[in-house]
Amino acid sequence: MDYENRFRRHLESLHQEGRYRVFADLKRRCGAYPIADHFSPDGTRGVTVWCSNDYLGMSQNPAVRAAMHEAIDEVGAGSGGTRNIAGTTHYHVELEAELADLHDKEAALLFTSAYIANEATLSTLVKLIPGTVIFSDQKNHASMIEGIRHGGGEKHIFRHNDLEHLEELLKQVPVSTPKIIAFESVYSMDGNIAPIAAICDLAEKYHALTYLDEVHAVGLYGPRGGGIAERDGVMHRIDIINGTLAKGFGVMGGYIAASRDCCDAIRSYAPGFIFTTSLAPALAAGALASIRHLKRSEVERARLNERVRKLKGLMAEVRLPVIENPSHIVPVMVGDPVHCKAVTDTLLTRYGIYVQPINYPTVKRGTERMRFTPSPVHTDAQMAHLIKALTELWAACPVANGQYVRLAAE
């Protein structure tokens, strides 16, 4: 068996499809967000980052950085083990209490990432409640899909945000059967938002638990940053909330917030929690500072909303193919993997603008796109430069018979 040849063949297929992923070698400039240094064979140059999930720039917040420095000085770098074996520090305990309060739940449970939180929790729930049937939105994140798959139970996929289809599927399962409706609040690739209240209505009607992924909403929506459920006044109707510390809060890690018994059961039975080294104390301390700040401050959220409206308006003026949505995500459709990468490569090399191409399997084939995420600190000048660059590239790549004329990468 020629193992290396097998690896090469798989990689070559990615190249041929135009969806081989290349990581940009970046070094962000502290205090100068969204500017970063880009390292390439041609040298190092400053670029403007337009695709970060650090939505509010909280990774740069002085209080967050100070909390992380202080934690390192007080207790050192690593946590020392799993949560069960020496890895539960006072920072973790405080952070879980703060997260429970943020979502008005009895408890919260920390994980190393929201991906692991989803995978571990959803797979464990099915094992804790045998016979559970999961109803999953068609556009749920890969981590939710993996968790549902690993649980091994019955599942039904409902069309994205389609309440009629969801109810049609719910009707097919006996009322007495345990059920979970799993969905997201903000879907990060299209930027649309789930009808949470209406889904909760169906959950109550058919006696289902609600599992809501608020990863792209925590910190950004609601009077205290609790997410879309808080903004819409329905947080009390959600049984289990999944969130992240790595996007709106600007640090790293994931969590669930739910009843005390639910969190304790996941803590006690989920391998993805039990056998994983806990977050470094500095990360927990930084996240704690970030959450406390955003519970009090509306400045970052207000500024983000203004910047998003500004960018969407500018793109509409020059008729770029923006996917309309009510969130902070600004997707620009391209529809071809090779063309999408060529455009983003040219933005980086010619204009000093970094945005990553979004290709399959993150999105369906034929819906390749660029995903822009303006932050509170992107300036008018940076927006003007971006619009100028995109306008020039779209003029160089006219649409003919519904297909883009491909742009050769520099």
Side-chain angles (χ1 to χ4, degrees):
M1 173 66 71
D2 187 345
Y3 296 104
E4 295 302 317
N5 183 54
R6 289 293 183 96
F7 299 147
R8 284 192 294 271
R9 282 164 53 190
H10 282 293
L11 291 171
E12 182 57 32
S13 70
L14 293 178
H15 282 287
Q16 289 176 355
E17 289 182 50
R19 61 185 186 93
Y20 178 78
R21 298 174 187 235
V22 178
F23 296 158
D25 184 353
L26 301 173
K27 185 178 180 182
R28 293 200 289 177
R29 298 177 186 172
C30 188
Y33 184 76
I35 303 299
D37 291 316
H38 175 234
F39 296 82
S40 74
D42 297 326
T44 305
R45 64 179 298 198
V47 298
T48 303
V49 178
W50 275 102
C51 58
S52 173
N53 286 338
D54 187 7
Y55 293 133
L56 297 173
M58 289 302 292
S59 68
Q60 310 290 302
N61 184 277
V64 173
R65 289 160 40 210
M68 296 182 75
H69 280 293
E70 182 179 348
I72 289 174
D73 290 341
E74 286 193 357
V75 302
S79 68
T82 65
R83 288 292 299 276
N84 187 51
I85 304 176
T88 295
T89 71
H90 190 57
Y91 298 103
H92 297 87
V93 175
E94 282 190 293
L95 179 53
E96 286 176 338
E98 200 73 35
L99 288 165
D101 174 78
L102 176 67
H103 294 292
D104 196 22
K105 301 299 181 191
E106 292 179 344
L109 189 65
L110 283 172
F111 292 80
T112 50
S113 73
Y115 186 107
I116 299 299
N118 270 334
E119 194 280 330
T121 302
L122 284 166
S123 62
T124 303
L125 284 171
V126 176
K127 294 169 183 175
L128 291 173
I129 312 172
T132 294
V133 178
I134 296 185
F135 299 83
S136 177
D137 188 283
Q138 181 183 25
K139 291 194 174 182
N140 275 344
H141 190 264
S143 59
M144 300 175 79
I145 295 169
E146 284 301 302
I148 294 167
R149 181 181 294 136
H150 289 166
E154 182 181 343
K155 64 180 183 295
H156 297 279
I157 312 301
F158 62 93
R159 290 188 292 271
H160 179 52
N161 280 351
D162 189 329
L163 296 171
E164 290 185 4
H165 190 219
L166 173 57
E167 183 163 22
E168 178 185 321
L169 294 172
L170 286 164
K171 286 179 178 178
Q172 297 173 13
V173 177
V175 173
S176 59
T177 299
K179 309 171 191 70
I180 299 171
I181 302 175
F183 61 109
E184 300 183 40
S185 57
V186 177
Y187 289 84
S188 64
M189 290 301 121
D190 295 327
N192 50 14
I193 294 175
I196 299 177
I199 291 176
C200 289
D201 289 341
L202 290 176
E204 291 172 7
K205 182 177 179 180
Y206 294 95
H207 305 284
L209 285 174
T210 46
Y211 185 101
L212 176 63
D213 182 315
E214 288 260 38
V215 160
H216 292 275
V218 289
L220 284 74
Y221 299 90
R224 298 198 309 159
I228 298 294
E230 183 191 33
R231 185 199 70 177
D232 293 353
V234 294
M235 199 154 52
H236 63 288
R237 302 180 69 189
I238 301 297
D239 295 298
I240 304 171
I241 291 176
N242 169 276
T244 185
L245 307 172
K247 294 179 172 62
F249 296 127
V251 191
M252 180 185 175
Y255 62 90
I256 60 167
S259 69
R260 184 169 289 104
D261 286 341
C262 177
C263 288
D264 199 11
I266 299 300
R267 179 189 74 88
S268 301
Y269 284 92
F273 176 85
I274 295 170
F275 299 105
T276 300
T277 299
S278 66
L279 286 176
L283 293 173
L288 184 62
S290 182
I291 294 164
R292 285 174 173 169
H293 174 85
L294 289 173
K295 279 182 175 179
R296 300 188 304 268
S297 175
E298 282 285 348
V299 173
E300 293 81 5
R301 287 188 284 274
R303 176 65 174 170
L304 174 66
N305 290 335
E306 185 278 326
R307 293 286 80 189
V308 170
R309 289 194 300 271
K310 174 84 171 180
L311 183 61
K312 287 182 176 179
L314 291 172
M315 288 184 169
E317 287 178 10
V318 296
R319 298 184 177 181
L320 289 168
V322 179
I323 300 174
E324 293 186 10
N325 65 67
S327 76
H328 60 286
I329 307 294
V330 187
V332 175
M333 187 63 70
V334 177
D336 178 273
V338 175
H339 182 74
C340 193
K341 187 174 187 311
V343 170
T344 57
D345 284 350
T346 304
L347 284 171
L348 184 61
T349 58
R350 185 188 300 174
Y351 297 96
I353 291 169
Y354 172 57
V355 58
Q356 191 71 6
I358 306 295
N359 296 331
Y360 177 84
T362 306
V363 295
K364 288 183 178 180
R365 288 185 174 91
T367 68
E368 291 80 8
R369 68 199 65 181
M370 294 178 288
R371 176 182 174 274
F372 295 93
T373 53
S375 76
V377 293
H378 278 92
T379 66
D380 285 349
Q382 288 166 342
M383 287 192 181
H385 179 57
L386 173 64
I387 295 300
K388 179 177 182 293
L390 291 172
T391 303
E392 290 177 359
L393 290 182
W394 249 254
C397 309
V399 176
N401 300 320
Q403 297 294 321
Y404 286 102
V405 177
R406 289 182 177 175
L407 175 74
E410 294 187 346

